[in-house]
Amino acid sequence: MAALAAGLAVGIGVMVLDSIEARRFDRQYRQTVLTQLNIFRATLEGEIHKRLVATQNLANLAASRSNLTPELFESFALQTCDRCPLLTAVIWQRDDGTRLAYPAESNDWPANLNAERPRLDVYARADGAPLVFALAPGKDPFLENGRVKGTAILEIDVAMLIEASDLDERVSDLQFSVRATDAIGKELAILFGDPEVFDAQPVTGDVQFPSGAWQIAAVPASGWSSRSPLQGWIRFGGGCLTLGAGVLAFKIVGERQHRKNEIDRATVALQKQLDRYREIVEQANTILVTLDLEGRTTFANPYAQHFFGYAETEFSGQSFADLVLADDTPHLDGSMKRMGIEARFDSDPPCRRRNGELVAVAWHTAALVHDGERVGWLLAGRDATATLAAEAACKQSNDRLQTLVSSITERVVVLDRDGRCLDRMPTRLASERGFLDRVLVGQTLEEVLPLDRAQLLQQSVREAIEFGRVSSFEFDIAQDDRRVWFAAVVSPCVRETSRSELRDTAVLVVRDVSDRHQIEAELKSTQAELERRVNERAGQIQLANKRLQQEIVERMQADEALRRSEEREREKAQQLERTLGELRRTQAQLVHTEKMSSLGQLAAGMAHEINNPVNFIHGNLSPLSDYARDLLKLVQLYEQVYPNPPDSIRDWSEEIDLPFLQEDFFKVVASMRAGTERIRKIIESLKNFSRLDEMGMKRVDLHEGIESTLLIFQSRLRGRGNRPEIEVVKVFGDLPKVECFANQINQVLTSLIDNAIDAIDALYQGEHNSSVETDTTPISKTRSIDETPKIEIFTKSIDRDWVVVCVRDNGSGIPEDIQSHICNPFFTTKPVGQGTGLGLSIAYQIVHETHGGQLAWVSPPGGGTEFSIQLPVRQNADEEVGE
């Protein structure tokens, strides 16, 4: 199965590679054809441009002759044919429709061939064959207006033009076709080649000339069925590779099975060796204990359990020092800290058995190291009670020095430079393996030791004598068919001694360490076995850990599914909350819209009611002036006829001050006319502001809406308190009429101008908090208000489809931290009861959502705010909102 799977995978890869190579070869082949097509296109384009230039030259030449005879035109035509061969006809068509043709006029030509600029035209003959004409206008060079006198026409045979060129030699392996198209790409006629070329997935190009383009197509003469030469090699190599992969997989799987069998056999052998080492440890008459880095017991052999009286379960996990040692044992702690260095010591104070008996134990410690890191300690001990008892007996029978000398196990001799024994320290603990016991005073080391060992000791003795160096080392010698190990320490004698024979000498101390070497060998073997067991146990733990990780992953997946479910419920709650907020905003907008609609209806009704009496008054002013003028004329005639009127008439004339009345009456009438004109303008502004007489979107003049809105705010623009009158600066550009809801745009302008006035009022009232609806900033205590309060209104056209209206004030401005919130519904900085927080919110919706425009603002630090409204001229415009 493995071989089959490997072969199948490699086979699929080979198929993919074969497909990639086929696509690469097809792209390369089409690119080669396109390169050859470009050669054809460039050549044909050059020939066509050459004939267009010849047509224009012929037109200029014919137009420059005031009386062009057929003979003269024939000479011009022959010259043109010499410069541009393969022309089937040369024609000059005058502006009156008459023609001169060479060689002769054909019935297939269209009736009227005129051109305002050089171009190519394609027509059809009666038999359906295409006619290609190059046309160029001929203008009179002697007239200032450049009147066109006629049109020069060259008939071009495209097939002959292509066949007469050397294209067949340069691109001989391609099949071409040329067709004419109109301005929108619609096919008009096939000019050259087989029409089926355009249906054979060709590569195409365009032949460009001033009045249009022709489309050319090309395919290989042998078709697109060519195949890459590399595909055969890929398939052959892929088959070989598939077969090889199957064979290799079969061999690898077989070798793996063979290796598994070998591992099983090695495992059985190691298990047998482990059983043998376990038997050695269990039967050893030595205390063997392992500790972890914290000093807790991890293993105790049966001899240690029997010696101390504790079971293995009582040892396991317990502090060895607290369980066994009678008191703190600095020797044990100090030796354990020397990682990797063997230490030997006797317990002092002694160890404590379970029954309370105190015993002396001689300990050997070694660090347990795994992968270069210390993992614990190995303690090997033996019962030292008998040794300590013997030493105590010696101390009681001898003096302190003799007891000390007699109790040590080391052999001590004094040597000179030549290795000669000058003195030796007697000891009662003689050993059969101690070579120093056989050394007599006056003998050299070479007499009792092998030459190489003697030279090693003599070299250390010389270094101790000459340099005062203390050296320690171990060596072995053959004794009774076995190797005996000794530990030697060479140190210089004290030079200030009173004994002259001890000067320039060294002391050699030798101890038999054969037992220790034997124990170390056994411990190394035991340690290797223990490490193997630990590795096996670690593998089991790793498998258990993998299973635990899998369970954790499953639990995490369940938690993730629960979390996603909670997120979906939370999103539903948030969506519901957003829907409720949207309903609140819609309700508030409807209320505000209804209020504005009621206000507009009220304004329209008042305007209608006031307009009737005002029109009546305004209409009667002119007759009143005429009547008064006639009466005053009559009075003047009476004064002329009766210069001395009666006293009653004279007294009444003086009482009413007739001259002043004659002079002031027409001023009063003029003042009344001006007042009625003012009232009529106000009424017209109210009607324009409310726009209740217009339904739906209309094309309106934005300037009229601005003027109407400003007229409504005339009372607020006047000075009040310490604020002077607000200056209104209007800079109106040339705006087209904009398609919009006029009353809604007036509402936006009202909100912006109202906020601008409030911002200026807040600056002069010295308020520390903004008192306008979402559009002002706390004034700065260092802000100067010496400048005249001003509101500037600018209008301009961005392009033919967009206009912009800007409203700028020099008021208190908008704090930067609230600029991103001013268009939020119900957000206001006005005191409670003075603002609803809907002004700019509704304005934003009117501009963005209703009219597809953009409302932007800029409020730099230091005061002043500029709002800009961008609106499309037509609501069906597809352009994006201008930046």
Side-chain angles (χ1 to χ4, degrees), residues 287 289 308 320 343-347 351 361-365 379-381:
I287 300 172
V289 180
F308 290 107
F320 185 78
R344 179 180 181 275
F345 57 91
D346 295 332
S347 62
C351 296
V361 179
W363 293 103
H364 293 269
T365 64
L379 277 66

Side-chain angles (χ1 to χ4, degrees), residues 301-340:
N301 69 338
Y303 183 84
Q305 300 173 24
H306 174 73
F307 183 84
F308 290 107
Y310 293 100
E312 184 177 5
T313 57
E314 296 175 316
F315 267 114
S316 179
Q318 299 296 323
S319 172
F320 185 78
D322 295 341
L323 188 65
V324 173
L325 298 184
D327 199 353
D328 294 339
T329 307
H331 302 288
L332 179 63
D333 296 339
S335 64
M336 288 171 61
K337 292 179 181 179
R338 295 193 297 272
M339 181 179 69

